[in-house]
C-alpha cells in the first residue's frame, strides 16, 4: 500500500502559460485526455485550471474564447504537497481547503498532481469514487 504522494500522483503534469487562450487549452486537455492543467510562468506555479473552469468561468462569461486567457480563469493553488509527503497529509489538506486536486511541488517546481480520485483508489479501492476514477473517460 502506498504511503507517499509520489507513489500515486500523476507525474509530468501539463503546464500552460497564463497568456494562452482558453480554446487552445481546451484542445490540449482533449488531446491529452486530461481535465486539469497547471498554470505556470516558467517554473513558478500560478494555479490550476480544470475543464469545468473553462466552461463556467470562461465560456459562460461570454466574449471571444480565443481572446480569453487561461490566467484569468486559474484557481490559485491554495495548497501544495511534496512528493515525499504522506497521503494522509494530502487528504488533510484537501479537506481543510475543500479542493479536489493538489499540485505536487519539489524544489519549488511543479512535478505532479494528486487528485481525490487518486487517493480514493489507493485508500478505499472498493468505493464508488475509486471505481469512477479508475474507469476510462467518457469520450
Amino acid at each position: 500500500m502506498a504511503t507517499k504522494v509520489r507513489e500515486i500522483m500523476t507525474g509530468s503534469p501539463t503546464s500552460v502559460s497564463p497568456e494562452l487562450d482558453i480554446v487552445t487549452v481546451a484542445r490540449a486537455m482533449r488531446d491529452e485526455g486530461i481535465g486539469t492543467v497547471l498554470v505556470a510562468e516558467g517554473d513558478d506555479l500560478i494555479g490550476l485550471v480544470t475543464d469545468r473552469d473553462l466552461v463556467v468561468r470562461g465560456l459562460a462569461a461570454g466574449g471571444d474564447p480565443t481572446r480569453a486567457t487561461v490566467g484569468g480563469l486559474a484557481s490559485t493553488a491554495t495548497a501544495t504537497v511534496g512528493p515525499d509527503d504522506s497521503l494522509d497529509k494530502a487528504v488533510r489538506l484537501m479537506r481543510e481547503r475543500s479542493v479536489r486536486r493538489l499540485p505536487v511541488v519539489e524544489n519549488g517546481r511543479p512535478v505532479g498532481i494528486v487528485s481525490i480520485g487518486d487517493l480514493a483508489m489507493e485508500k478505499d479501492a472498493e468505493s464508488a469514487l475509486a471505481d469512477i476514477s479508475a474507469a476510462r473517460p467518457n469520450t
Side-chain angles (χ1 to χ4, degrees):
M1 179 180 229
T3 60
K4 296 193 181 291
V5 169
R6 81 167 59 251
E7 298 172 72
I8 67 164
M9 72 181 193
T10 299
S12 302
T14 299
S15 294
V16 298
S17 165
E19 290 84 29
L20 207 55
D21 67 88
I22 65 173
V23 172
T24 301
V25 174
R27 288 180 180 147
M29 286 178 168
R30 176 199 62 201
D31 295 347
E32 294 180 38
I34 58 176
T36 305
V37 297
L38 298 179
V39 179
E41 286 185 303
D43 285 342
D44 294 329
L45 179 65
I46 294 171
L48 55 98
V49 170
T50 67
D51 46 7
R52 184 175 190 279
D53 293 333
L54 293 178
V55 172
V56 174
R57 295 185 194 160
L59 294 175
D64 183 353
T66 62
R67 293 185 178 270
T69 63
V70 75
L73 307 179
S75 299
T76 314
T78 60
T80 63
V81 290
D84 292 319
D85 285 340
S86 71
L87 298 184
D88 290 338
K89 179 178 181 180
V91 169
R92 188 176 64 253
L93 281 171
M94 285 181 178
R95 281 185 174 143
E96 289 171 0
R97 304 297 173 99
S98 298
V99 296
R100 295 181 174 109
R101 295 162 197 84
L102 290 170
V104 182
V105 177
E106 185 172 43
N107 299 321
R109 194 173 74 82
V111 295
I113 297 175
V114 64
S115 72
I116 194 170
D118 298 330
L119 291 164
M121 288 189 300
E122 183 60 32
K123 290 189 143 308
D124 189 5
E126 301 301 315
S127 71
L129 181 56
D131 289 345
I132 292 165
S133 297
R136 289 184 35 205
N138 296 331
T139 55

